[in-house]
Amino acid sequence: MAKPLALFGGDRAVTVPTAELWQRPVQKEKEVVCRVIDEGFLSGTGHSVAKEFEDRFRDFIGCRYVLTTSHGHTALASAFFAAGLGAGDEFITPAVGYLGSYAGALHMGARPMFCEIDPQTLLMDPDDVERRITPRTRVLNPIHFWGHPCHMDRLLAIAQKHRIIVVEDAAHAHGSEWNGVKIGNLGHIACFSLQGITPGGKPIAAGEGGIVATNDRELYERALIYCHLHRAGALEELTNPVYRQLDGELLGWKWRAHPLALAIGLVSLETLPYRLERFEENRERLFGKIEGLPGIRPVRNYPQARGVELYGGLRFIYDPDALSGLPPARFAEALRAEGVPIRWHALGHLEHLRALYTRDLPGLWGPGHPGPANQPLPRYKQGDFPISEGMRERVFGLSGWIQPAEGLIDQIAEAFHKVVERHRELL
Ligand SMILES: *Cc1c(COP(=O)(O)O)cnc(C)c1O
């Protein structure tokens, strides 16, 4: 029998520090930032550090075209425009999703049609996507949550069958792979975020920033004209005879990234392969020690996928029925008493239950707005997505580690074993 539970006065299973010990190369960041300041390049894209970042990221992903933007959500908005989305069109995005993922589509007047998640992977469920396609569906918007790739074979096949475009939210998925191909080099168009600071921020972090990646020349040119007012060399670069007639302001948005942010992003990109490998090693060590325990199951990638869980960390699905009905809050309390920094309610946001779709909000959208003015947003209610809603109480999160303290992973695994073995005492 495992030792007594810390919750009842036993010794804590975790005695070493639980903080991430890997530190980002701050000195290197300062050097690159200072170089950019010395050059005086503080605004612009298409040359200098901005071009260097795009070139390096393109090499890393292996795709043909890369465009940096101010944020991940502006990258996504540009991709929705590139896909030809407009007022009254429908797009499918997961009910466990993120407003920032599809805000660009919403503001164009397109209608979010939510779909269920797969309760094993917590990602957009391709079977449910298929059921929700209508003649007005124009875009699929899968989110590779916590770096776990969605089922791209299924989604791309559905898209091909219905002649629709897949705009991937790869905000968490820099370096994630499907069938050995990096996300960003496989579908139609994928968008990354550079939000936060390494480690803990998006897998490549630059404070704020975003990236559009595609292999499709037309999608690239459309994203470019949408949001890159006065990009160096843009007009010479455009090949579409219609777009070439625009002037340097293109379509007027200026959603370029800040060069100082990209300087920091360059250093983050450099350390990504190292961080990824160490993180995976530690993840496998932990999962290997707790796999098969009743009641708590690590969320795995699809067998075709390599996940990059550097943002948001590891996920676990809890099954109270396997532990005599022990409520998840009590399970989490016992683990935290052992010193495990576990988070409950670690599932993403239930998008369909936002005020936007559940309440009357008179006057919110102007009377001439191309979407809501002519066609109100779809209305949703509790119970519309039973599978996604049913997961709300059942997902735990743990940050995962690039460099854990010596012995930490073993101690965390021991804590899980202890709480599971002695769960009846918690009832
Ligand atoms: C961070 C994030 C975005 C957008 O990124 P920003 O750079 O913050 O605009 C989009 N989707 C998801 C799931 C995210 O976590």
Side-chain angles (χ1 to χ4, degrees), residues 71-73 76 98 100-101 143 145 169 171-172 193 195 202 209 311:
H71 300 92
H73 74 271
L76 282 150
Y98 183 55
S101 182
I143 304 180
F145 254 110
D169 181 338
H172 308 172
S193 167
Q195 194 271 329
K202 303 289 159 94
Y311 177 78

Side-chain angles (χ1 to χ4, degrees), residues 258-412:
H258 198 294
L260 290 180
L262 294 180
I264 291 170
L266 260 182
V267 180
S268 183
L269 169 56
E270 251 171 45
T271 62
L272 177 59
Y274 174 83
R275 287 183 280 130
L276 180 52
E277 269 179 37
R278 295 286 90 73
F279 189 95
E280 277 181 329
E281 272 171 29
N282 290 306
R283 177 195 65 197
E284 288 312 301
R285 184 169 171 84
L286 177 63
F287 283 5
K289 284 176 181 285
I290 65 174
E291 214 136 32
L293 272 182
I296 187 90
R297 178 171 58 80
V299 175
R300 286 289 195 175
N301 285 290
Y302 287 109
Q304 299 92 325
R306 179 184 190 189
V308 174
E309 295 106 336
L310 288 165
Y311 177 78
L314 309 172
R315 288 291 177 291
F316 303 84
I317 295 176
Y318 183 65
D319 176 12
D321 295 342
L323 295 178
S324 324
L326 181 69
R330 189 73 170 147
F331 182 79
E333 190 188 4
L335 271 177
R336 276 197 292 266
E338 297 296 339
V340 179
I342 192 122
R343 283 174 289 126
W344 185 33
H345 283 139
L347 187 67
H349 196 274
L350 287 168
E351 283 302 307
H352 65 291
L353 298 180
R354 283 187 188 281
L356 272 176
Y357 314 112
T358 55
R359 300 207 191 143
D360 286 325
L361 301 166
L364 174 66
W365 305 93
H369 191 280
N374 300 314
Q375 194 172 36
L377 286 178
R379 295 291 290 238
Y380 294 101
K381 58 182 185 315
Q382 186 95 30
D384 281 348
F385 294 90
I387 297 172
S388 304
E389 291 170 28
M391 298 310 289
R392 177 155 47 182
E393 309 273 279
R394 293 188 46 199
V395 180
F396 288 109
L398 196 59
S399 65
W401 291 267
I402 301 161
Q403 190 186 327
E406 182 75 36
L408 176 64
I409 301 289
D410 293 349
Q411 292 189 345
I412 292 210

